[in-house]
Amino acid sequence: MPWSDALAPYGRAVSFGGYAAATVLAVSEIAVLALALNPKVNADYRAYYIDRTTTCLNRDAIGNYTLGQTVSFRSDGAKQAAGMIVCGWSGPVADGTHSLGETSRLRLRIPPLHNGLTATLQMAAVIRPPQITQRVMISVYGVPVHKVILSGKEPTTVSFVIPHTAFGNAETVEMAFDYLDGIPPSPAASNIYKRSIKLVSFRLDAG
């Protein structure tokens, strides 16, 4: 029997194995491509990294807080403020915690309440002419609770009521700050992407 005939089955087996390997590789590449085009990730990751519908990437942060306490968002209050910061902030530094992006959020634990809350915040506008004011929309769990226009470099004390219906029986309060006039980057200020305010202090009192 010629050697070629004797080796033919092995050749066919090798060829089949090569085709099978190529098929597996192709299927794997298709699966990877499909995952890249439609990755199975959580909604927060998708919104921030893929769809880019938010500049505020959620993190599992819940700050411990005692009602009636004023928390400094300057450097001296960094430890306590850090626990409350969810996203959209840079700092803190000597003049406060700077917002970063189009939205910033805070989240903190509260005791059971039957009435609303009164929030008292000190904030200052980030100004770069011609932008001399900053409009800030504040909401709690998506419920608008206050709108303020900040101007000037000195901090402004802002006080407003958070109705009980905004948080109900929740054990936490999540407050969002939406900025309508964030300063865009420029050759002269490339490091201030969408900065709008400096949060100086934060306080909640039972209503």
Side-chain angles (χ1 to χ4, degrees):
M1 178 185 295
W3 279 105
S4 58
D5 293 341
L7 295 175
Y10 299 104
R12 286 195 294 272
V14 171
S15 297
F16 178 78
Y19 289 135
T23 301
V24 170
L25 181 61
V27 170
S28 299
E29 289 180 347
I30 291 172
V32 170
L33 179 61
L35 184 61
L37 294 175
N38 188 28
K40 295 180 180 179
V41 296
N42 65 45
D44 294 324
Y45 184 99
R46 175 177 291 279
Y48 185 82
Y49 286 108
I50 300 173
D51 298 335
R52 298 187 181 276
T53 54
T54 182
T55 60
C56 194
L57 178 62
N58 182 56
R59 74 181 186 97
D60 295 329
I62 304 177
N64 292 316
Y65 179 77
T66 301
L67 292 180
Q69 179 184 22
T70 299
V71 177
S72 171
F73 275 73
R74 301 178 191 265
S75 302
D76 59 352
K79 185 175 181 180
Q80 185 171 6
M84 300 166 57
I85 291 173
V86 178
C87 57
W89 302 101
S90 175
V93 291
D95 61 352
T97 296
H98 292 225
S99 67
L100 184 63
E102 298 169 358
T103 301
S104 302
R105 281 189 282 163
L106 301 174
R107 188 185 297 130
L108 54 142
R109 189 172 283 105
I110 57 170
L113 296 171
H114 299 290
N115 297 307
L117 292 162
T118 298
T120 305
L121 284 65
Q122 269 198 320
M123 301 185 291
V126 175
I127 293 174
R128 176 170 286 274
Q131 185 67 47
I132 57 173
T133 62
Q134 291 289 346
R135 292 174 294 166
V136 185
M137 301 288 295
I138 304 174
S139 60
V140 172
Y141 289 117
V143 178
V145 293
H146 194 67
K147 177 181 179 181
V148 61
I149 299 177
L150 300 174
S151 61
K153 295 182 178 180
E154 294 302 314
T156 297
T157 299
V158 178
S159 185
F160 53 92
V161 172
I162 303 174
H164 186 262
T165 53
F167 55 89
N169 296 320
E171 296 179 353
T172 61
V173 165
E174 182 168 315
M175 186 178 295
F177 301 74
D178 289 304
Y179 313 112
L180 307 180
D181 307 304
I183 297 174
S186 67
S190 60
N191 64 336
I192 61 168
Y193 170 67
K194 290 289 185 180
R195 294 189 187 266
S196 300
I197 70 164
K198 293 171 283 188
L199 180 59
V200 180
S201 67
F202 176 95
R203 178 186 175 107
L204 287 181
D205 291 282

